[in-house]
Amino acid sequence: MFNWSIQNSPSTSVDQLTQQWFWYRVGSSGPESAINTISAPTITTPNASTLYTSYTDSLGRFNLSVKYSLVGGATLSGTSDITEQITINNTSGAPLPFHFYQYSDFDMGGTAEGDSVTLSKNGLTSRFNQSDQADGANIVETVITPNADHGEAGFFPVLLNKLNDGSPTTLNDSLTAGPGDVDWGFEWDPIIPTGGSYIISKDKHIDIPVVPEPSLAVMLPGMFAFLLRRRAAVS
Ligand SMILES: [Ca+2]
Ligand SMILES: [Ca+2]
């Protein structure tokens, strides 16, 4: 996901997202890989707001799918929502030690600078369940289940480089970063039972300020001037 544009005036919209994507690792050694390296994707779009992408491991250990559901708010409400459901099916014939990562680089308000992020934990599980990133009144909130084992808030591109380097990464559990060009991630470390599935559900919600329509007090003098010019032109 490289773009999430939301209308902020009758004539303009602003992209709030640089990148959100997923990485994975099987076992405790070796690097993480982006999920688009698993295989060519199978993509289906049952309707205009729903997208499925699925990948199949060439070694037969698992398959993985992501379902995106987009719900735009009412026109000029400044709100938009995306839910994602990630399903990992263990097809290896043995318990599968899996590591799954969400990486997010939002740039709220359409600017990389000025953002702050806070990751928070469920009070009962003490595991990560939420991220809140803001630049002024531009806010994105992410809520996840099951809660993640690790999280990391930092400055672009530290976390992205960790996920793309050649060694295994465990997120460092730092809770806050900013203001600046912040990014953040979550990490799940399940052992998926033989023949079992692991399902992650996430909801991301954006609120941005909206520039209202010009008021009638501003528009009416202009309309009268236009009508007077038309009358003058006709007569
Ligand atoms: Ca910003
Ligand atoms: Ca950012």
Side-chain angles (χ1 to χ4, degrees), residues 27-161:
S28 57
S29 62
E32 294 76 39
S33 300
I35 63 168
N36 52 294
T37 65
I38 297 171
S39 70
T42 301
I43 297 173
T44 53
T45 51
N47 57 58
S49 62
T50 306
L51 173 75
Y52 288 89
T53 60
S54 61
Y55 307 88
T56 302
D57 177 46
S58 62
L59 301 177
R61 297 170 294 179
F62 65 94
N63 58 64
L64 185 156
S65 67
V66 184
K67 176 189 179 185
Y68 296 92
S69 303
L70 171 67
V71 180
T75 301
L76 290 177
S77 65
T79 66
S80 186
D81 193 281
I82 293 179
T83 60
E84 293 157 350
Q85 189 172 77
I86 298 107
T87 304
I88 306 154
N89 296 311
N90 177 1
T91 56
S92 70
L96 186 69
F98 206 84
H99 302 270
F100 187 78
Y101 303 80
Q102 174 190 350
Y103 172 77
S104 296
D105 180 10
F106 285 91
D107 291 340
M108 301 309 298
T111 58
E113 62 272 18
D115 287 37
S116 296
V117 62
T118 298
L119 309 183
S120 46
K121 295 179 178 180
N122 179 315
L124 293 175
T125 66
S126 297
R127 285 150 48 98
F128 290 84
N129 69 341
Q130 189 168 323
S131 165
D132 293 89
Q133 181 175 339
D135 178 355
N138 302 270
I139 296 169
V140 58
E141 180 172 75
T142 300
V143 178
I144 57 170
T145 55
N147 304 156
D149 296 282
H150 294 284
E152 179 167 337
F155 291 96
F156 173 85
V158 174
L159 177 54
L160 187 61
N161 289 344

